[in-house]
Amino acid sequence: MQNLARAVLALFGLLVLVAAYLAVSVEGGKPPVPLTAQDVTGTWHGDRGARLEVTADGRARLTDAPDWTCNPAGQPAALTAEGRWIMDRHSDESPGILIEFTVYGTPPAPGCSDWFTVNGTGKGGTAGDGSDVWARFLGHGGKERFRRAPTG
């Protein structure tokens, strides 16, 4: 009976070690490079035709973004709006910015604010040129993927 208890205890210990190893390897073993305002400013082009301009002074302009309900009718339509942004992060999502859009001169309304999450900073990886960086709007995440235009 003691041998069985020892075997179960050894198996449990091995299972804990494997789980810990997998947790560290999935996270990459080192913390990511923090996102800065310089990482998000610039012009971002969506794969469905939208364009987002993020300026260093906290302004943002989104043009031709399809399927947004941020309009007076509340129906999905292409959105062109201006707004303000701040560095922010929604719960456990990738870091990014929170943008509050103003449409047709009205204050932000439900559906008019969204997190723009940035995946990668271009500071690491093999190329180091930002080619691995992409972003998406969290509330409209499956609809359009953005890449920043080359800077400098």
Side-chain angles (χ1 to χ4, degrees), residues 44 46 48-53 60-84 99-116 137 139-140 143-144 146:
W44 295 80
R48 294 182 61 202
R51 176 183 162 135
L52 175 66
E53 296 173 59
R61 179 170 173 73
L62 180 65
T63 55
D64 300 324
D67 300 325
W68 282 60
T69 57
C70 182
N71 59 58
Q75 298 297 317
L79 175 68
T80 294
E82 294 186 4
R84 307 282 305 158
I99 305 174
E100 290 186 343
F101 292 109
T102 302
V103 183
Y104 306 113
T106 62
C112 295
S113 296
D114 203 351
W115 284 270
F116 189 67
F137 280 101
H140 299 82
K143 298 181 179 173
E144 191 153 17
F146 289 78

Side-chain angles (χ1 to χ4, degrees), residues 80-148:
T80 294
E82 294 186 4
R84 307 282 305 158
W85 69 270
I86 58 170
M87 296 296 293
D88 202 357
R89 177 183 202 137
H90 182 271
S91 64
D92 63 347
E93 297 294 328
S94 298
I97 59 177
L98 174 62
I99 305 174
E100 290 186 343
F101 292 109
T102 302
V103 183
Y104 306 113
T106 62
C112 295
S113 296
D114 203 351
W115 284 270
F116 189 67
T117 60
V118 180
N119 298 280
T121 63
K123 297 174 184 173
T126 56
D129 62 357
S131 60
D132 60 334
V133 179
W134 61 274
R136 67 183 173 101
F137 280 101
L138 190 57
H140 299 82
K143 298 181 179 173
E144 191 153 17
R145 190 171 173 152
F146 289 78
R147 293 223 181 252
R148 189 168 70 163

